[in-house]
């Protein structure tokens, strides 16, 4: 997804990606997908961005592009969807570009504009699968 959108540095432009899908991805966003719980989860800095990232991940998985790549068969739960959303906003290549001492949740939160808890989870996920 990052390569397709030719993104070379954080922060990932989530809103722009949703508004400007690449060919064969989706034609329009179904705003009915945004529920009241979407906004009720906003409690801290970057929470809205992370909610939008989960919405983007869900949209990508359900898109023609995602189905062609069998993402709908791989990402079958909210837990996996959250992992995918974190992968989109904090790509492994971008994390690897950070100095080792910068690979901490507080620093990554600011660098990628994500909640600190999501940065922590992304680091945990990377270490579990590395």
């Amino acid at each position: 997804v990052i390569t397709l959108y030719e993104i070379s540095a954080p922060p990932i432009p989530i809103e722009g990606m949703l508004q400007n899908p690449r060919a064969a991805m989706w034609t329009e966003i179904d705003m009915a997908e945004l529920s009241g719980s979407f906004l009720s989860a906003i409690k801290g800095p970057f929470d809205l961005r992370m909610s939008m990232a989960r919405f983007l991940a869900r949209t990508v998985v359900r898109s023609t592009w995602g189905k062609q790549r069998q993402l709908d068969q791989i990402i079958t739960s909210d837990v996996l969807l959250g992992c995918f959303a974190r992968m989109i906003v904090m790509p492994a290549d971008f994390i690897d570009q950070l100095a080792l001492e910068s690979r901490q949740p507080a620093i990554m939160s600011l660098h990628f504009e994500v909640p600190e808890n999501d940065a922590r989870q992304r680091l945990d996920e990377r270490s579990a699968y590395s």
Side-chain angles (χ1 to χ4, degrees):
V1 175
I2 300 302
T3 302
L4 187 64
Y5 276 89
E6 300 175 355
I7 299 167
S8 59
I12 305 304
I14 300 163
E15 297 84 0
M17 294 168 74
L18 282 166
Q19 293 170 348
N20 302 299
R22 295 300 188 240
M25 289 190 98
W26 55 86
T27 54
E28 65 182 62
I29 298 299
D30 181 5
M31 295 312 281
E33 298 260 342
L34 299 175
S35 65
S37 63
F38 181 84
L39 292 175
S40 67
I42 311 299
K43 293 180 178 69
F46 308 127
D47 284 347
L48 180 58
R49 262 183 62 75
M50 204 59 222
S51 290
M52 292 296 292
R54 286 188 294 274
F55 182 68
L56 173 62
R58 189 177 307 110
T59 301
V60 169
V61 167
R62 294 177 180 170
S63 72
T64 302
W65 185 89
K67 289 177 181 175
Q68 289 171 343
R69 287 152 182 82
Q70 300 180 339
L71 292 177
D72 59 330
Q73 294 177 23
I74 298 168
I75 300 171
T76 56
S77 71
D78 286 343
V79 171
L80 293 174
L81 186 71
C83 291
F84 184 49
R86 285 186 291 278
M87 290 169 64
I88 291 172
V89 294
M90 295 175 274
D93 290 346
F94 292 5
I95 294 172
D96 292 344
Q97 291 172 9
L98 294 173
L100 287 175
E101 60 273 7
S102 295
R103 296 179 198 177
Q104 305 175 37
I107 294 171
M108 285 182 49
S109 171
L110 295 173
H111 187 70
F112 290 102
E113 297 183 359
V114 298
E116 192 170 325
N117 187 51
D118 283 287
R120 182 177 296 106
Q121 284 183 279
R122 180 68 172 122
L123 287 169
D124 290 347
E125 292 160 359
R126 288 224 44 231
S127 66
Y129 295 103
S130 296

